Amino acid sequence: MKLLIDTNVLLDMVLKRNGYETSVKLFRKIREREALACITASSVTDLFYIIRKETHDTERTYAIMENIFCLVTILSVTEKDIQDAFGQKWRDFEDCVQYMTGQNNRMDYLITANQKDYKDVSLPVLTPAEWLEADRQA
């Protein structure tokens, strides 16, 4: 199983925001199932920027990112992903790039804390809690 993890799920876990415990459970279950958790290359820069902004500590941010890299595989964002996203004309271009990268890499699910950002899509979009529940029932 291949899961594209949205930036917000990792930020919830790293910054201990609302959703922290569910994100931790998600990554435990991913490891247990030996599923493939991926993020986009563009998420890496977003994560670094936001984590450094929140922690005010570049060295700590690098350490946190190294831990994240132990949990996920990084997907390249290609010209095709950008062009496909641009053609969709979504209000939130960043989310569309993530979505198109996931779709073009044949991910099974996109896991996000903000489902409302993904309307009328063919790639299944679940919250961490929904994916955990679906996995439990499988």
Side-chain angles (χ1 to χ4, degrees):
M1 177 172 300
K2 299 188 309 184
L3 308 172
L4 179 60
I5 309 298
D6 197 358
T7 308
N8 56 47
V9 174
L10 284 161
L11 287 172
D12 289 348
M13 185 170 64
V14 169
L15 301 176
K16 296 186 177 176
R17 303 188 309 191
N18 188 25
Y20 164 78
E21 291 177 9
T22 306
S23 293
V24 170
K25 288 178 189 175
L26 171 75
F27 279 99
R28 283 187 185 135
K29 182 57 82 170
I30 288 170
R31 183 175 294 160
E32 181 183 302
R33 288 191 93 241
E34 298 181 3
L36 179 64
C38 300
I39 62 174
T40 65
S42 55
S43 286
V44 173
T45 56
D46 294 343
L47 285 164
F48 192 95
Y49 173 80
I50 294 166
I51 293 167
R52 187 180 59 191
K53 185 177 175 185
E54 291 292 319
T55 64
H56 307 286
D57 186 334
T58 301
E59 284 186 42
R60 183 168 172 222
T61 300
Y62 274 106
I64 291 168
M65 293 302 296
E66 286 177 6
N67 288 330
I68 289 172
F69 296 154
C70 292
L71 300 173
V72 299
T73 297
I74 300 168
L75 299 176
S76 295
V77 176
T78 67
E79 180 178 355
K80 178 177 176 20
D81 300 327
I82 298 294
Q83 292 292 344
D84 289 349
F86 193 77
Q88 296 296 313
K89 304 282 191 241
W90 284 18
R91 181 179 166 108
D92 189 326
F93 183 69
E94 177 189 3
D95 284 340
C96 194
V97 170
Q98 284 224 99
Y99 177 81
M100 296 312 300
T101 302
Q103 187 172 31
N104 291 339
N105 280 276
R106 295 186 170 94
M107 295 286 110
D108 295 308
Y109 296 96
L110 190 154
I111 309 299
T112 183
N114 296 323
Q115 271 182 317
K116 64 178 176 30
D117 295 339
Y118 301 92
K119 299 283 187 203
D120 301 319
V121 294
S122 58
L123 173 63
V125 178
L126 301 175
T127 65
E130 289 171 339
W131 185 82
L132 287 165
E133 180 61 25
D135 184 70
R136 190 178 68 75
Q137 292 180 359

